Amino acid sequence: MKIAIGCDHAGFGIKNAVKAHVESKGYEVVDVGTYSADSCHYPVYANAVCEKILSGECALGILICGTGIGMSIAANKHKGIRAACCENTFSARMTRMHNDANVLCIGERVMGYGLACDMADLFVDTPFEGGRHQARVDDLNALDANK
Ligand code: RB5
């Protein structure tokens, strides 16, 4: 399974840490940038990660900015993307189980590297539960028609 990862300047440190961590677990990571701590615009990288998922090249994505919020707003504008901005391991696991989220958004100014790596672990390793949650995710996907 391939994982797409992207960040802006405010998420550059955690992107590198999470990328190395996810690779060490045996996943292939496609890094869409940014590749330095120079100031840039987070929607550019949110779009690039979403494109990797929507094209089928990557199954899941991880986006990091200062808060995780700007990345989640940008990613959720794409049809077929269910992005979750999470600040703890419980949310990172549950958003896979119940929401079938395909993008995890993280804020580097909100947490340390260890928590971010643990959240990434849970996000990529946890399957969607399906069952009663499938119809709710279908409702979410139906909202794409409004985009
Ligand atoms: C950049 O300063 C910051 O605004 C950005 O990384 C992000 O937190 C936006 O939501």
Side-chain angles (χ1 to χ4, degrees):
M1 178 166 75
K2 280 198 204 176
I3 311 292
I5 194 164
C7 68
D8 71 356
H9 55 285
F12 185 60
I14 278 188
K15 185 196 73 173
N16 290 332
V18 166
K19 178 183 174 186
H21 183 75
V22 171
E23 284 175 339
S24 79
K25 299 279 177 175
Y27 293 99
E28 189 176 337
V29 176
V30 179
D31 183 350
V32 303
T34 186
Y35 304 113
S36 80
D38 294 343
S39 183
C40 62
H41 291 188
Y42 55 83
V44 171
Y45 303 97
N47 294 346
V49 160
C50 292
E51 200 239 303
K52 294 287 179 193
I53 295 168
L54 296 171
S55 70
E57 182 180 341
C58 295
L60 297 172
I62 300 173
L63 286 164
I64 308 103
C65 62
T67 58
I69 297 170
M71 286 295 197
S72 62
I73 292 171
N76 278 316
K77 293 197 179 287
H78 293 261
K79 290 184 182 183
I81 294 296
R82 293 174 301 282
C85 182
C86 297
E87 296 181 357
N88 58 71
T89 51
F90 181 79
S91 299
R93 185 164 55 89
M94 292 304 287
T95 200
R96 288 287 308 127
M97 290 171 66
H98 286 196
N99 313 124
D100 198 17
N102 48 14
V103 177
L104 172 68
C105 301
I106 295 173
E108 174 156 347
R109 294 172 180 162
V110 182
M111 70 185 69
Y113 287 24
L115 175 56
C117 290
D118 279 357
M119 286 167 50
D121 266 349
L122 285 164
F123 188 76
V124 300
D125 284 342
T126 303
F128 177 48
E129 220 174 67
R132 71 187 189 281
H133 301 293
Q134 183 60 62
R136 297 161 185 169
V137 172
D138 290 344
D139 289 347
L140 284 179
N141 292 339
L143 294 171
D144 280 343
N146 301 331
K147 288 179 177 169

